Amino acid sequence: GAVVSQHPSRVICKSGTSVKIECRSLDFQATTMFWYRQFPKQSLMLMATSNEGSKATYEQGVEKDKFLINHASLTLSTLTVTSAHPEDSSFYICSSWEGSYNEQFFGPGTRLTVL
Amino acid sequence: GQNIDQPTEMTATEGAIVQINCTYQTSGFNGLFWYQQHAGEAPTFLSYNVLDGLEEKGRFSSFLSRSKGYSYLLLKELQMKDSASYLCAVISGGYNKLIFGAGTRLAVHP
């Protein structure tokens, strides 16, 4: 199946700093990628849809100025958590459709801990 | 609006059969997925239903009724490693967004 990678897998940062998470499609082109956030014992909550070459579409309640998304190429989308606070600590997962599989492929996730 | 309901927790015995139900009310529907997720890991694909009926894949089967907004995941011959969260997700709206239910935590006991 198709492969989606994320980097870093785990990050610990101080409150007030910004953190960038990369999501790459390794063997297919992804015009659209999705960013999810998952708090402990909760399900995945869609944050935004990242579109190559255009602005991301954010879900209701997600601050676009806090969670900056850039989809500069067909294989890379980045999520930057700006001025991170402890409440931003979560598991961030990206995903993308690979059309021939009728399946959405997920990255391995990034565990963010803000101290 | 979007609403996907699943039971929060279920328990079952090793070797038994368990059925996890999912009901949905979404503004659009382009298919329904079931995923398995172990703690701290990304979800892994189990099944995809877009037409009514039963899809069988080994020990796992998934059923869909679009008119009732209902699906279930059936797990047979349960093994201890099946202890995980099971996520029901509906494809809805533009860009084929995947909207997840809250997930069902399944605990399999000896």
Side-chain angles (χ1 to χ4, degrees):
Chain A
V3 178
V4 175
S5 70
Q6 274 184 249
H7 177 81
S9 58
R10 185 179 296 268
V11 58
I12 301 172
C13 69
K14 293 182 179 180
S15 186
T17 60
S18 293
V19 175
K20 179 186 283 188
I21 303 170
E22 293 186 348
C23 177
R24 293 181 185 274
S25 58
L26 297 186
D27 49 3
F28 66 100
Q29 293 183 331
T31 55
T32 302
M33 289 183 171
F34 302 92
W35 286 97
Y36 294 87
R37 179 169 54 181
Q38 185 175 34
F39 293 107
K41 295 188 177 182
Q42 296 185 24
S43 191
L44 280 75
M45 296 299 296
L46 180 64
M47 300 176 65
T49 302
S50 171
N51 306 300
E52 188 269 333
S54 63
K55 292 182 179 179
T57 304
Y58 290 82
E59 295 299 303
Q60 191 173 8
V62 178
E63 301 174 57
K64 62 180 181 180
D65 294 329
K66 180 168 181 63
F67 299 99
L68 301 178
I69 291 173
N70 183 277
H71 196 148
S73 78
L74 287 172
T75 59
L76 173 64
S77 175
T78 60
L79 169 68
T80 301
V81 184
T82 62
S83 186
H85 293 283
E87 57 265 29
D88 298 323
S89 298
S90 189
F91 192 48
Y92 292 85
I93 307 176
C94 69
S95 70
S96 183
W97 294 106
E98 207 289 338
S100 63
Y101 292 96
N102 275 335
E103 178 181 342
Q104 191 169 108
F105 291 91
F106 288 86
T110 297
R111 174 74 59 192
L112 171 64
T113 302
V114 185
L115 303 176
Chain B
Q2 317 276 39
N3 194 39
I4 301 175
D5 289 319
Q6 321 177 217
T8 305
E9 293 183 344
M10 298 183 72
T11 59
T13 305
E14 192 175 16
I17 300 172
V18 70
Q19 177 174 312
I20 304 174
N21 295 322
C22 171
T23 58
Y24 63 89
Q25 290 176 308
T26 55
S27 57
F29 180 84
N30 291 323
L32 186 145
F33 285 85
W34 283 96
Y35 285 87
Q36 180 191 63
Q37 187 181 29
H38 287 97
E41 299 179 8
T44 55
F45 171 80
L46 291 178
S47 69
Y48 169 65
N49 294 70
V50 66
L51 300 176
D52 290 351
L54 187 69
E55 294 282 342
E56 297 186 82
K57 188 185 294 184
R59 295 190 298 116
F60 297 86
S61 302
S62 57
F63 172 83
L64 175 67
S65 169
R66 288 172 295 172
S67 62
K68 295 181 180 179
Y70 168 70
S71 174
Y72 67 73
L73 178 69
L74 193 70
L75 294 80
K76 304 175 185 176
E77 301 170 14
L78 282 172
Q79 302 174 10
M80 298 296 291
K81 67 178 183 179
D82 296 329
S83 294
S85 286
Y86 291 85
L87 310 177
C88 173
V90 172
I91 309 170
S92 177
Y95 299 115
N96 281 331
K97 294 192 296 186
L98 202 55
I99 309 299
F100 283 86
T104 300
R105 288 193 298 278
L106 174 66
V108 180
H109 299 290

